[in-house]
Amino acid sequence: LLSLGTGTTSEFDKTYTAEETAKWGAIQWMLVIQRMTDAAGSYMTDYYLSTVFQAQNSQKNYLRVQENALTGTTTEMDDASEANMESLVQVGENLLKKPVSKDNPETYEEALKRFAKLLSDRKKLRANKASY
């Protein structure tokens, strides 16, 4: 399973101070809670799926690709400007160089190549079985 995320801004505890939030009204809270809820859904999906694959001793069959530190306009899902698209391309290129996780030092680029080979090998195996 190749799981492609849309990215999140994960460091909520470092983004807002108590002094700042004490002055917020309902609309500001609603916007922040929406972003937190979106990120939580993404984290829970990854946690659940990775747990299921680990329980089946198949963790090499699951790869989640997700940038968890988006900033600025890259967090806006409705900004399709050329400048933002270029920024998102840069985010993706930078993500390829990052390790998949603290437990897995493999970079996303290496993991995606490994995953593509795994899928290609399985497709060839199915094609060979079908020809018999």
Side-chain angles (χ1 to χ4, degrees):
L1 175 65
L2 177 60
S3 176
L4 301 175
T6 57
T8 65
T9 55
S10 65
E11 299 192 24
F12 296 106
D13 61 326
K14 296 178 184 171
T15 306
Y16 308 108
T17 65
E19 294 81 22
E20 181 184 8
T21 58
K23 301 172 190 166
W24 286 359
I27 292 177
Q28 184 66 32
W29 276 109
M30 188 174 63
L31 293 172
V32 171
I33 289 171
Q34 178 62 45
R35 279 181 272 180
M36 288 179 180
T37 303
D38 290 346
S42 176
Y43 288 125
M44 290 309 299
T45 298
D46 181 37
Y47 177 77
Y48 174 74
L49 288 172
S50 67
T51 301
V52 168
F53 277 85
Q54 285 177 13
Q56 299 296 319
N57 201 25
S58 299
Q59 53 268 37
K60 291 287 185 184
N61 294 329
Y62 172 69
L63 177 61
R64 173 75 173 170
V65 179
Q66 167 95 336
E67 174 57 70
N68 290 316
L70 292 177
T71 59
T73 59
T74 60
T75 64
E76 304 297 326
M77 294 183 126
D78 60 350
D79 184 352
S81 67
E82 187 172 333
N84 197 45
M85 294 294 107
E86 289 173 8
S87 294
L88 289 169
V89 167
Q90 189 61 52
V91 166
E93 289 173 353
N94 292 341
L95 182 61
L96 287 173
K97 297 174 181 106
K98 290 183 178 181
V100 171
S101 71
K102 293 176 185 173
D103 301 329
N104 182 357
E106 177 180 48
T107 66
Y108 278 104
E109 183 174 17
E110 294 165 340
L112 286 166
K113 286 178 181 178
R114 176 185 52 77
F115 209 77
K117 181 168 179 8
L118 176 71
L119 293 174
S120 176
D121 291 347
R122 287 190 179 170
K123 182 177 180 182
K124 289 174 188 173
L125 183 62
R126 282 193 310 271
N128 285 339
K129 284 183 178 179
S131 66
Y132 288 113

